[in-house]
Amino acid sequence: MQTKQNQALTMHPLFFDAIYRTAYMEKKDGKVALKYKDDICGVRLEDNKDVTFTMRAPSAETVEVAGVGGSMGRDRIRLERDEEGNFSKTVSGIAPGFHYHFWYVDGVQVTNPVAPVAYGCFGATNFFEVPREGEDFWFLKDVPHGDVQVRTYVSSVNEHVKKCYVYTPPSYGSAPEKKYPVLYVQHGVGEDETGWIWNGKLNFILDNLIAEGKCKEMIVVMCSGYAFLKDEDPVFYPGDFGREITENVIPFIESNYRTAKGRSNRAMAGLSLGSAQATQFVARFQHLFAHLGVFSGMRDGETEQILSQHEKYPMETVFMTGGIGEQGLAERQKVYTDRFQALGVAGGQRSYPGYHEWHVWRASLKDFAELIFQGEDRGDQGEADFTYEECTLTKEQLDRQTFAEHILMFDPIYKGLIRAVDEKGRPAGKYKDEHCGAEVTDVAGGKARFWIRAQGAKTVEVDIWGMGCFAMEKAEEDWWSCEVTGIEKGFHYYGIKVNGVDVLDSNAPVGYGGFRAINYLEMPEEDFEEYRIRQTPHGTVHLNYYPSKETGRTKLCYVYTPASYEKEPERRYPVLYLQHGGGENEAGWVWQGKLANLADNLIAAGEMEEMIVVMNTGYAFPENGAYHPSMSAFTEELVSSGIPYIDNTYRTIADKAHRAMAGLSMGGMQTQKCVYAHPELFEWAGIFSGGLTIQNEEVDYSHILLDPEEFAKRFKLLFVACGTEESSFESTKKNEETVLAAGVPIVPFEGYGYHDWTFWRHCANDFLRRLFKA
């Protein structure tokens, strides 16, 4: 159930091209087949711009939806129940824009696991988009796309590993001598480093502007603006992030990217809290920045300081913006922008329809990007080179972050905000600590304590997949809690039920599993170090977009490149295509599987060949045309669209001896289908919990798997893994023995394990060590 609307309207961090389908078993003519059917879409934009809200809640009496303020308002909308216990309502007249919103089950505020989720309001928060008529500057268009990279650095301020998102323009990879100016842009309070990509659509905005010739090509850096120190009680500014920017972020960027030096080639901007940080940083480090963007904010003292130093450090751009509904802001900003313009500084003040909201900030970014880096390049003016050096972190800190990281926030802070203003009416709130959703309290005993805020709930349960439901009890204030023992080592999905209704805990790590947003817990495996964050050279995770010939839709794939990739521009690399399982998607191997951590550590230890790893969504449903009922048309799409894109974009060794495919569960079945059908493409394959098929009603691979000579022509490695606790273990084991008895040298891998990420990490750990070796 994918709409024909622009994909920028439906994308969210957990699933770029959401399918809103689920799998089921169909019995027909005595046979059982896995198929897909349409499932609930929590929020759907209709063609006439109405919005339909839906939630499955058979045990609830009422379900309501309300905005968090701004253009949608806070009035609750009551949904209507059908005979199956689904609550739904189609609403007209919601103002155009990006809308965070809350759901209420019997009056209890919750997050809907089948509606789009992003990080906002200090947690996983639902949102939807209503486009403004004639406004498409942030849409996904058929233009060259820049590369969005997830990079790793260390903060010397609070001694944490941090992630930043870096946008490089489409020409970056094909113009090796060119240097680019850099824009550093910050998120607002309660948001994080993911916001400008997923909520702000920054990469699409820049792609479109560059394609239209409306802005300079630039690198853009998006960081998490939190630099809290232990036992610190900061007011408004979350730690000394300014020092982190200058001592860690800028040195990291200038050491790893082809940046143009000098303050003329460096801009700082931000929204809300980020606008205050941007103003503070420019005032504090005027020798570094000549361009400032202030979106939905105003800091008088720091702005006066910038003006006072204009003769020594002339600003080239100062641009201030806000929503028309942000009362009094435009007038305050214009007082200053008029003074800057009188000094010959470009910029000015602009206001856009809306309030303190993402659609305002997108427009702000667009107009700011068109203004900056347009003047004469003044050179580096004697600026010294930046050198990036990492401080050494403790193993305890690295492990703590390993078990907490997730796609919505790499380094979770578990904070709330006590809102306040100072004597001049400026924001001056304080941060309050909150409970994380699940905390391991005793590794040896497999003990963890679960928390969730559920004010007014009658019952709350935690449903640990494979273990069952555990009742939670009222604890402090609005919180419910329980402690569970006997949790096995490894990765565990879990759900929360409020008054019997499945919801998402906004404070806990979140992934995509079981065709929905789902929380998870890590119970550390004490004897498994390879998947943990370590201070080794880190590779890069890229977000790449390409068109699918089969579906006519744009695909997102995550691509891992090793640390040497940018440092050795003449070198070419082998490629592994690594697939997820049914009910999961392209993000799974990065965040649940911790593929990048595994690869970084194995490469650093000399136990894995350096390679590119491509992680794609395994769903491809052509609108008009046949596709495999359980595996879709992905294998055809990979061959016709995915592999050519990767070979044209990356420095691959584009032959079968240097190309591998592997996958878990459904991905393992897709791997078999693809590698047997395309011996010209693959010589290496891995099947993790996907069964080993010799022959069935649909396929016959016996001429390969029972013939040593034919097998030798096709494969250098066929790796087959199945956990001893999986339901398919006995059948897989029997087929392995049959193949081995025929003299075909497949490589079996087994161990204590279920059909879960714990086992699949171990599969990847063993498989990666074997790939592309003689």
Side-chain angles (χ1 to χ4, degrees):
M1 187 171 63
Q2 292 166 308
T3 73
K4 295 182 180 179
Q5 296 160 351
N6 190 276
Q7 288 176 248
L9 291 165
T10 56
M11 60 178 271
H12 59 104
L14 297 182
F15 206 153
F16 170 72
D17 190 22
I19 58 173
Y20 298 111
R21 297 189 182 201
T22 189
Y24 72 103
M25 303 301 295
E26 180 183 78
K27 291 185 179 181
K28 189 175 182 180
D29 300 329
K31 299 176 182 178
V32 178
L34 183 69
K35 293 189 175 183
Y36 290 97
K37 63 180 180 180
D38 288 342
D39 199 10
I40 286 177
C41 172
V43 185
R44 184 177 69 248
L45 177 69
E46 307 295 350
D47 291 340
N48 65 355
K49 304 299 188 295
D50 287 353
V51 179
T52 300
F53 300 95
T54 306
M55 188 175 200
R56 182 181 291 114
S59 61
E61 295 181 9
T62 64
V63 175
E64 299 167 300
V65 176
V68 299
S71 298
M72 185 176 174
R74 298 177 185 271
D75 293 339
R76 296 192 187 184
I77 302 165
R78 177 167 283 203
L79 310 189
E80 299 167 358
R81 180 188 178 117
D82 66 15
E83 294 179 354
E84 297 179 354
N86 297 317
F87 287 78
S88 184
K89 188 176 183 64
T90 299
V91 181
S92 301
I94 296 178
F98 175 102
H99 299 291
Y100 285 130
H101 62 283
F102 297 133
W103 296 71
Y104 297 86
V105 172
D106 297 335
V108 183
Q109 181 181 309
V110 299
T111 301
N112 188 340
V114 295
V117 172
Y119 191 85
C121 308
F122 287 107
T125 303
N126 295 126
F127 75 94
F128 64 92
E129 300 268 4
V130 178
R132 187 176 301 280
E133 195 68 35
E135 183 178 277
D136 65 355
F137 66 88
W138 51 273
F139 278 19
L140 174 64
K141 297 182 181 181
D142 185 16
V143 299
H145 296 300
D147 188 10
V148 177
Q149 305 177 7
V150 186
R151 300 302 302 263
T152 306
Y153 71 95
V154 172
S155 168
S156 60
V157 175
N158 63 3
E159 298 185 346
H160 282 218
V161 183
K162 301 288 287 286
K163 294 286 190 189
C164 61
Y165 282 64
V166 181
Y167 169 87
T168 57
S171 71
Y172 189 86
S174 58
E177 303 303 318
K178 185 174 180 178
K179 294 186 177 182
Y180 297 81
V182 185
L183 164 62
Y184 296 83
V185 60
Q186 287 304 117
H187 59 81
V189 69
E191 310 214 346
D192 67 1
E193 70 274 12
T194 66
W196 271 109
I197 293 297
W198 291 104
N199 304 351
K201 312 292 192 292
L202 177 145
N203 52 324
F204 297 160
I205 294 172
L206 268 292
D207 288 345
N208 298 337
L209 290 177
I210 291 169
E212 294 167 10
K214 291 182 177 179
C215 78
K216 293 286 187 180
E217 292 187 299
M218 66 186 77
I219 296 168
V220 186
V221 181
M222 297 146 278
C223 298
S224 173
Y226 306 110
F228 291 107
L229 299 175
K230 187 177 181 181
D231 301 323
E232 180 187 30
D233 187 23
V235 176
F236 190 62
Y237 291 108
D240 191 354
F241 187 66
R243 188 158 67 86
E244 185 176 305
I245 280 280
T246 55
E247 294 182 7
N248 308 128
V249 179
I250 293 177
F252 176 82
I253 295 300
E254 302 216 357
S255 297
N256 287 280
Y257 292 88
R258 300 192 310 276
T259 61
K261 292 179 64 64
R263 63 190 298 271
S264 290
N265 292 303
R266 208 176 286 122
M268 174 62 72
L271 66 93
S272 192
L273 166 69
S275 75
Q277 288 180 316
T279 308
Q280 184 196 49
F281 301 162
V282 171
R284 189 174 168 188
F285 308 109
Q286 278 189 259
H287 62 291
L288 296 179
F289 302 97
H291 310 270
L292 171 63
V294 180
F295 313 154
S296 290
M298 185 68 249
R299 300 294 290 187
D300 300 86
E302 291 93 335
T303 308
E304 288 285 2
Q305 185 178 338
I306 295 168
L307 279 162
S308 70
Q309 293 292 309
H310 183 75
E311 185 173 342
K312 183 176 181 181
Y313 298 113
M315 296 299 293
E316 297 178 29
T317 312
V318 175
F319 184 57
M320 296 186 180
T321 71
I324 291 172
E326 296 189 82
Q327 194 170 11
L329 179 61
E331 291 78 6
R332 288 182 59 204
Q333 290 178 334
K334 195 171 186 307
V335 169
Y336 288 103
T337 56
D338 285 351
R339 291 170 64 186
F340 278 109
Q341 288 187 303
L343 294 170
V345 179
Q349 195 282 333
R350 296 183 200 174
S351 297
Y352 307 93
Y355 295 80
H356 202 74
E357 300 167 301
W358 270 108
H359 46 276
V360 169
W361 304 325
R362 289 175 188 160
S364 302
L365 173 77
K366 170 188 173 292
D367 289 345
F368 184 61
E370 292 180 1
L371 289 168
I372 57 178
F373 309 131
Q374 297 293 341
E376 179 183 352
D377 186 349
R378 300 170 189 260
D380 61 20
Q381 298 177 312
E383 183 177 86
D385 290 335
F386 286 91
T387 302
Y388 175 70
E389 296 181 0
E390 285 191 0
C391 60
T392 301
L393 306 186
T394 66
K395 181 175 180 292
E396 290 74 19
Q397 177 62 27
L398 295 170
D399 285 346
R400 189 178 301 117
Q401 292 194 240
T402 298
F403 305 134
E405 65 172 330
H406 63 111
I407 190 170
L408 296 187
M409 194 177 200
F410 172 73
D411 185 22
I413 58 171
Y414 305 119
K415 298 280 187 180
L417 184 67
I418 302 172
R419 299 185 182 276
V421 295
D422 63 15
E423 67 281 356
K424 294 184 178 180
R426 300 173 300 187
K430 289 190 175 184
Y431 300 88
K432 59 179 180 179
D433 291 329
E434 293 202 343
H435 294 292
C436 61
E439 178 184 4
V440 173
T441 54
D442 178 12
V443 174
K447 188 181 296 185
R449 177 161 288 280
F450 296 84
W451 294 88
I452 187 169
R453 183 192 285 109
Q455 182 182 13
K458 297 176 182 177
T459 63
V460 182
E461 295 175 298
V462 56
D463 178 13
I464 304 175
W465 290 17
M467 287 187 68
C469 289
F470 300 85
M472 302 178 79
E473 298 179 348
K474 291 182 180 179
E476 58 196 61
E477 296 180 357
D478 302 328
W479 294 84
W480 291 64
S481 182
C482 72
E483 193 166 60
V484 178
T485 60
I487 302 173
E488 293 195 35
K489 301 295 192 298
F491 178 98
H492 298 274
Y493 282 131
Y494 73 90
I496 296 289
K497 294 180 182 292
V498 172
N499 294 354
V501 177
D502 289 323
V503 303
L504 187 70
D505 180 0
S506 63
N507 266 16
V510 176
Y512 187 86
F515 295 102
R516 54 169 279 194
I518 187 73
N519 296 120
Y520 62 81
L521 165 75
E522 299 272 2
M523 185 61 69
E525 293 184 82
E526 294 161 305
D527 59 348
F528 188 23
E529 293 279 332
E530 287 87 348
Y531 75 100
R532 303 188 187 193
I533 300 169
R534 291 293 178 258
Q535 283 188 274
T536 59
H538 294 294
T540 300
V541 174
H542 308 252
L543 282 67
N544 290 151
Y545 306 89
Y546 67 92
S548 163
K549 294 179 182 178
E550 274 64 31
T551 65
R553 302 180 71 81
T554 297
K555 304 282 286 193
L556 165 67
C557 63
Y558 287 87
V559 179
Y560 169 87
T561 54
S564 66
Y565 188 85
E566 296 297 337
K567 295 179 172 59
E568 300 179 34
E570 302 302 317
R571 183 176 174 184
R572 291 188 169 271
Y573 294 79
V575 185
L576 165 63
Y577 292 85
L578 186 59
Q579 286 306 119
H580 61 83
E584 309 212 350
N585 65 5
E586 69 272 9
W589 270 111
V590 177
W591 297 103
Q592 287 98 294
K594 300 194 184 299
L595 183 281
N597 296 350
L598 272 169
D600 287 346
N601 294 334
L602 291 175
I603 290 171
E607 297 175 357
M608 168 184 163
E609 296 296 310
E610 292 184 84
M611 67 185 75
I612 296 167
V613 184
V614 181
M615 294 151 282
N616 216 321
T617 179
Y619 308 109
F621 300 108
E623 184 177 1
N624 298 306
Y627 57 86
H628 192 281
S630 62
M631 290 186 278
S632 75
F634 171 71
T635 54
E636 294 82 1
E637 179 187 78
L638 177 66
V639 172
S640 69
S641 302
I643 292 174
Y645 169 79
I646 294 297
D647 285 343
N648 288 329
T649 304
Y650 290 91
R651 299 193 309 276
T652 65
I653 306 175
D655 60 40
K656 66 179 185 177
H658 296 90
R659 192 181 291 120
M661 184 174 181
L664 65 92
S665 192
M666 178 186 77
M669 292 185 278
Q670 290 174 326
T671 295
Q672 293 177 81
K673 189 172 185 287
C674 197
V675 299
Y676 294 143
H678 295 282
E680 78 281 7
L681 295 178
F682 302 97
E683 284 190 355
W684 311 77
I687 307 166
F688 311 159
S689 300
L692 174 63
T693 301
I694 300 174
Q695 183 181 23
N696 60 27
E697 299 87 349
E698 183 182 329
V699 297
D700 185 353
Y701 302 134
S702 59
H703 66 290
I704 302 169
L705 294 177
L706 301 182
D707 184 338
E709 291 186 8
E710 182 64 25
F711 182 88
K713 292 177 185 177
R714 290 170 174 259
F715 290 108
K716 291 184 178 177
L717 173 68
L718 179 57
F719 177 95
V720 182
C722 190
T724 57
E725 303 304 305
E726 295 194 62
S727 61
S728 61
F729 177 73
E730 293 300 329
S731 61
T732 300
K733 184 77 171 176
K734 182 179 178 180
N735 284 349
E736 288 174 354
E737 291 171 350
T738 299
V739 172
L740 289 168
V744 172
I746 63 171
V747 176
F749 176 84
E750 63 184 53
Y752 178 76
Y754 297 88
H755 199 79
D756 63 14
W757 280 107
T758 306
F759 180 65
W760 300 325
R761 289 172 181 169
H762 284 275
C763 296
N765 181 48
D766 193 276
F767 180 66
L768 290 170
R769 296 168 187 264
R770 300 174 185 271
L771 268 186
F772 306 123
K773 295 184 178 180

